[in-house]
Every structure is written in structure tokens, then in C-alpha cells.
Amino acid sequence: MRVVVRTFSELCITVGTVIVLFVVYVLFWTGVKADTAMDDQIAQLQDQWARSAVASGPREATATESPGAAPGKPAAYKDGRPFAVMYIPRLGFTWNKPVLEGTRTNTLKKGLGHYASTARLGEQGNFAVAGHRRTYGDPFKDFPRLRPGDAVVLTDGTTWFTYRIDTKPYRTLPRDTAVIDPVPKKSGYTRAGRYLTLTTCEPEWGHSHRLIVWAHLDATEPVEAGKPEALRR
């Protein structure tokens, strides 16, 4: 009986240790790796943009450009590669994440992912982006705090795109793929436009549902004009 009790106790301790280590891995280590990966993606973009700026020289800029009037046509997005940086002041003025092409598991470990079937940044249609709620840097941990009127700012190295959120977070099922349609019916939009959809998991530590917010393109400005108003403190 003593041997059985001792064996059972040791087994419980071992299982408990494994569980604790797994929790540490999920809560801490994946976050450390993801933060490093996201910083690397942003650094790659900034280096790429700096080299492109030197090679092409300065372009003539206007103080304000009309929504969607991005200068020139950017290069095609490459699967798994970063092409923009997103800022959401509501989530903190230090909050910034790289946006990569695609929504594969490995891609979302390094930042936010653009649904490849949706519109390109700033263009006519629905530019849809997904991100983890928890783990891998917790990019959308505070997603429920988003409110109508909040700014979502992105840059592709040549242009600042400022979107304005029009809806509170909307809860739906993963199979509800209509949320990333060119004109999502449940968004309240009734005609074609330049839209942004953000998606993440719900509940916070699960994935049975999705949280969605929709936004419209409010303004664009060349990077030479400096940070847009939404990012100025």
C-alpha cells in the first residue's frame, strides 16, 4: 500500500510539474518569442523602406491626400512576409504590430495576418486582418476595448492610412466568413467602399467564437508629412 501511495504521489507531482511548465510556456515563453519575432518583422520593414527611399529619392508630397489615393502601386504581397505596420492608440501609444500576408499558424506567430482573399491596404474593398487574442504576444488581448470612432493607423512605408472604427466588437462563429466580404452585411455598410475588418478569437482563452470590428478609410497622408494626427500625443 505504501508503494502504491508513494507512486501515486510522485505521479501527481510529475503531472503537476508538467502542467505548470506548459502554462509557463503558453503564458510567457510564446510571448517572448512572438515579441522578438514581431520586432524583427518591423525592423525588416523599416530597413526595406529606408533602402527604397534612398533608391527612389524624395517624392513631392501634399499636406493631405484623399482617402485611398495611395502614391503608385506597391509591390505584390508575399505569403508569410510583412508589408505594413499597424497602430491602434486605444490599445496603447506603444502598441504597434507588423502585418504579414496570410493567416497560417506560423504567420500569426510573428504578427497580424492579412486574409489574402481580401482587398489590399487602402484599396477599394475590405482589407481584413486577423490576430491572436492570447498567446504569441497577445496582440489583440484588449480587443473588447475597441469602440466606434477609434483610429486604426497603418503604414506601408510610403503612406499613412487612417481608418475609423464604426462598430463595437461583434461576436460571431468561425464559420461566419461573410464578415470579411467586400461589403459585410452585418457591418451596417450598404455600398462599396474602402473598409477594414479586424478579427480575433473569443472567449479570451478559447476559440469557439470570433470578435469582429469594422472600420472605414478616413484619410491617407504621405509619410513625408509626418505622423497622422491620431498618432500624435
Side-chain angles (χ1 to χ4, degrees), residues 126-229:
N126 186 7
F127 176 69
V129 176
H132 281 294
R133 179 86 174 275
R134 282 292 195 171
T135 69
Y136 296 106
D138 303 337
F140 281 153
K141 177 186 68 174
D142 295 322
F143 198 95
R145 294 177 53 201
L146 298 176
R147 292 293 180 268
D150 286 348
V152 180
V153 182
L154 296 104
T155 182
D156 62 0
T158 63
T159 306
W160 290 106
F161 301 85
T162 300
Y163 290 83
R164 290 287 171 181
I165 293 177
D166 294 308
T167 64
K168 290 183 178 179
Y170 168 74
R171 190 170 186 262
T172 190
L173 293 170
R175 65 173 177 269
D176 185 8
T177 58
V179 298
I180 61 172
D181 282 351
V183 183
K185 292 182 179 179
K186 297 175 183 176
S187 65
Y189 304 138
T190 57
R191 58 183 180 180
R194 304 176 192 278
Y195 303 125
L196 165 70
T197 299
L198 300 180
T199 76
T200 193
C201 292
E202 169 71 5
E204 188 172 352
W205 289 103
H207 50 79
S208 62
H209 289 72
R210 297 289 184 268
L211 283 184
I212 314 293
V213 294
W214 290 286
H216 69 277
L217 184 61
D218 187 53
T220 64
E221 302 172 67
V223 294
E224 292 90 342
K227 288 185 178 181
E229 185 177 354

Side-chain angles (χ1 to χ4, degrees), residues 5 12 26 48 52 91 111 137-138 159 182 194:
V5 171
C12 287
V26 170
Q48 174 187 323
S52 295
L91 304 184
D138 303 337
T159 306
R194 304 176 192 278

Side-chain angles (χ1 to χ4, degrees), residues 19-197:
I19 291 174
V20 169
L21 290 174
F22 177 74
V23 170
V24 169
Y25 172 79
V26 170
L27 295 181
F28 177 72
W29 185 241
T30 63
V32 171
K33 291 176 66 177
D35 287 341
T36 300
M38 285 188 274
D39 288 344
D40 287 345
Q41 298 299 308
I42 293 176
Q44 286 180 36
L45 279 175
Q46 292 174 336
D47 180 62
Q48 174 187 323
W49 294 339
R51 285 187 280 107
S52 295
V54 171
S56 61
R59 73 180 182 90
E60 187 177 346
T62 57
T64 304
E65 298 180 350
S66 60
K73 189 170 182 62
Y77 301 157
K78 296 181 180 180
D79 186 46
R81 299 292 298 275
F83 62 87
V85 178
M86 179 183 292
Y87 304 79
I88 305 181
R90 168 71 72 178
L91 304 184
F93 273 93
T94 61
W95 191 100
N96 62 89
K97 308 297 177 186
V99 182
L100 297 83
E101 178 68 354
T103 55
R104 296 179 182 179
T105 301
N106 286 338
T107 299
L108 293 179
K109 290 179 180 180
K110 298 182 286 186
L112 308 178
H114 169 238
Y115 289 91
S117 62
T118 66
R120 292 162 61 95
L121 176 58
E123 294 187 352
Q124 185 85 355
N126 186 7
F127 176 69
V129 176
H132 281 294
R133 179 86 174 275
R134 282 292 195 171
T135 69
Y136 296 106
D138 303 337
F140 281 153
K141 177 186 68 174
D142 295 322
F143 198 95
R145 294 177 53 201
L146 298 176
R147 292 293 180 268
D150 286 348
V152 180
V153 182
L154 296 104
T155 182
D156 62 0
T158 63
T159 306
W160 290 106
F161 301 85
T162 300
Y163 290 83
R164 290 287 171 181
I165 293 177
D166 294 308
T167 64
K168 290 183 178 179
Y170 168 74
R171 190 170 186 262
T172 190
L173 293 170
R175 65 173 177 269
D176 185 8
T177 58
V179 298
I180 61 172
D181 282 351
V183 183
K185 292 182 179 179
K186 297 175 183 176
S187 65
Y189 304 138
T190 57
R191 58 183 180 180
R194 304 176 192 278
Y195 303 125
L196 165 70
T197 299

